[in-house]
Amino acid sequence: MNHLMIEILTTDCVEKIDAQRVFGYALFKDGRNTRLTYPLEKFHSNISGMSFHNGRFIQSMREKAASLPNVRLEQGTVTSLLEGNGTIKGVQYKTKNGEELAAYAPLTIVCDGCFSNLRRSLCNPQVDVPSCFVGLLLENCELPHENHGHVILADPSPILFYRISSTEIRCLVDVPGQKVPSISNGEMANYLKTIVAPQIPPQLQSSFIAAIDKGNIRTMPNRSMPADPHPTPGALLMGDAFNMRHPLTGGGMTVALSDIVVLRDLLRPLHDLNDAPTLCRYLESFYTLRKPVASTINTLAGALYKVFCASPDQARKEMREACFDYLSLGGICSTGPVSLLSGLNPRPLSLVLHFFAVAIYGVGRLLLPFPSPKRMWIGARLISGASGIIFPIIKAEGVRQMFFPATIPAYYRAPPVS
């Protein structure tokens, strides 16, 4: 964990928004549960994960930035990038009064979120929407394991609970596909009460029903988009506008903060940003240097979502069960995956080893004590299914960048000489 992320997460950026400390995950399946704790022994006692109202955190960081003497905050809606001779010169934006203005800079950082209308010229956006989240806010209730993110391996797909303030718990119900039951005609409320509510921990059910009856139900598509940049002089794409993963593991903010640190370290030795082509060539290293953290969290989020979803296929059922039981073993079987999830151990090779350890563990359980042709066939399909889940995600992330970044020339780019 780098020093900037520690600085952000331990200052008033989180203290004044009632952010809650998180020490790991709690998994629930078929009446059983297990806790996975972050391996924080080597860190200072005030280090932990954080959960919060996202809007409050963003606003808190804006206020922190605006308080610095070399920062001037301009508020408006960017409508387009200003381009000339293949170089981004700045942005055109509209103020809240409707006035059209332009702002010019030698380097424009584009981070306009998952619904970005600016990224098309800066990357090749291949957006996938595997599911939608239905969001509820539970009030004045207790989680079974406080200070842990709760993942319910439900049917048809996972349900999340995590505290975002001292009095509020966010619930996110995953609904596979791009269509969700209608909120306006009551289908959604009925779905949540009859299908979802019976699958959540009993101590949360009354607050869950109360949140449904209150009627403040929100839906949001879950987007996934691998990073595929078009290096462009004068501009750099970041955040969800650049790269998205399934939000099951809550890794988006971790990747964003990690990317900020990588970019900060690249820009720190520079004194002049006005040579756009040279700067663009130098900043190509950003796309490789960010990979250990980003690709580990992206791959694990996508793979875990597919494993955690219910399936009528017997091999997928065995993989799901094996994953839960493997994580429940404790020791390296739990601390290894959770350190990958949290960004504490950004090693893609370790991720692949743990993923296939789960698959082999599942096959071993099938074949012991007495293998049969049917069990052997299910085991073979389990290994095949595991490969079919993780290898396409790795391919989209980039095999060479993930596992052999030192072979990419941009990895060694030195700062341009002033």
Side-chain angles (χ1 to χ4, degrees):
M1 187 177 290
N2 55 67
H3 295 297
L4 177 62
M5 291 175 73
I6 291 173
E7 184 181 331
I8 289 172
L9 294 175
T10 56
T11 60
D12 53 356
C13 283
V14 291
E15 287 174 357
K16 66 181 183 181
I17 62 170
D18 196 19
Q20 302 296 299
R21 301 183 77 186
V22 179
F23 297 109
Y25 298 88
L27 296 185
F28 291 73
K29 184 179 186 296
D30 300 331
R32 298 173 294 151
N33 70 85
T34 187
R35 280 198 305 175
L36 313 174
T37 303
Y38 297 142
L40 297 172
E41 296 83 6
K42 298 178 182 178
F43 297 96
H44 193 274
S45 60
N46 67 341
I47 298 304
S48 68
M50 286 286 179
S51 58
F52 38 71
H53 281 273
N54 189 68
R56 292 180 189 174
F57 181 60
I58 299 300
Q59 191 60 32
S60 180
M61 288 198 294
R62 284 177 180 155
E63 291 171 1
K64 186 79 172 177
S67 70
L68 299 174
N70 59 341
V71 172
R72 189 182 77 190
L73 192 63
E74 295 282 348
Q75 290 184 283
T77 302
V78 175
T79 54
S80 64
L81 299 173
L82 300 175
E83 186 259 344
N85 300 321
T87 299
I88 302 300
K89 305 290 188 181
V91 298
Q92 186 161 346
Y93 69 99
K94 184 180 291 187
T95 67
K96 61 182 180 181
N97 298 324
E99 187 181 3
E100 289 272 1
L101 298 174
Y104 297 90
L107 179 63
T108 300
I109 309 296
V110 178
C111 45
D112 57 334
C114 62
F115 300 105
S116 172
N117 63 343
L118 303 175
R119 64 174 160 226
R120 192 159 299 278
S121 63
L122 303 176
C123 74
N124 179 30
Q126 299 292 326
V127 180
D128 180 37
V129 184
S131 66
C132 296
F133 267 158
V134 178
L136 295 165
L137 202 58
L138 280 60
E139 297 178 323
N140 301 311
C141 61
E142 299 294 322
L143 288 167
H145 301 284
E146 284 293 350
N147 302 110
H148 286 71
H150 289 53
V151 183
I152 320 298
L153 274 60
D155 186 355
S157 53
I159 305 163
L160 308 181
F161 292 92
Y162 56 97
R163 189 170 288 283
I164 57 173
S165 78
S166 55
T167 60
E168 298 166 305
I169 293 170
R170 173 70 71 202
C171 170
L172 297 172
V173 178
D174 187 85
V175 178
Q178 298 182 26
K179 289 187 177 181
V180 297
S182 171
I183 295 175
S184 59
N185 67 9
E187 284 182 12
M188 178 65 78
N190 183 61
Y191 174 81
L192 294 173
K193 288 181 178 180
T194 58
I195 304 297
V196 177
Q199 301 187 71
I200 69 175
Q203 57 264 62
L204 293 173
Q205 288 184 359
S206 60
S207 295
F208 183 77
I209 298 297
I212 297 169
D213 291 338
K214 193 173 182 179
N216 191 19
I217 303 172
R218 304 288 178 86
T219 63
M220 181 176 180
N222 292 326
R223 289 173 161 78
S224 177
M225 186 183 81
D228 188 7
H230 298 155
T232 305
L236 188 77
L237 195 58
M238 292 186 73
D240 282 351
F242 171 50
N243 182 205
M244 293 180 281
R245 77 290 310 147
H246 196 284
L248 170 70
T249 60
M253 190 63 74
T254 305
V255 172
L257 293 175
S258 175
D259 283 356
I260 290 169
V261 172
V262 172
L263 181 60
R264 178 204 63 180
D265 291 344
L266 286 171
L267 294 178
R268 176 171 277 166
L270 304 184
H271 302 290
D272 185 1
L273 305 178
N274 287 295
D275 187 345
T278 302
L279 179 63
C280 178
R281 188 169 182 274
Y282 167 62
L283 289 180
E284 283 182 21
S285 59
F286 167 77
Y287 304 116
T288 302
L289 294 172
R290 69 182 293 273
K291 272 295 175 179
V293 173
S295 63
T296 299
I297 291 175
N298 292 350
T299 304
L300 200 50
L304 277 181
Y305 176 70
K306 291 184 178 180
V307 170
F308 282 176
C309 283
S311 171
D313 180 74
Q314 188 60 38
R316 288 285 296 274
K317 285 182 180 179
E318 291 291 342
M319 183 68 177
R320 191 182 194 220
E321 186 72 24
C323 187
F324 181 88
D325 289 346
Y326 180 86
L327 293 171
S328 301
L329 291 174
I332 190 64
C333 297
S334 63
T335 59
V338 82
S339 65
L340 292 164
L341 272 173
S342 59
L344 293 171
N345 178 27
R347 296 179 184 174
L349 183 58
S350 180
L351 158 63
V352 174
L353 292 175
H354 276 289
F355 190 78
F356 280 102
V358 171
I360 293 167
Y361 175 72
V363 172
R365 298 192 326 166
L366 280 168
L367 300 184
L368 294 175
F370 303 109
S372 67
K374 180 181 178 181
R375 286 171 171 263
M376 292 174 68
W377 172 240
I378 294 173
R381 288 200 296 114
L382 193 157
I383 294 291
S384 173
S387 302
I389 286 173
I390 198 166
F391 287 143
I393 302 173
I394 290 174
K395 182 180 178 183
E397 287 292 322
V399 174
R400 189 179 173 194
Q401 284 185 311
M402 274 185 74
F403 298 103
F404 311 104
T407 67
I408 297 174
Y411 186 79
Y412 301 98
R413 295 273 160 83
V417 179
S418 299

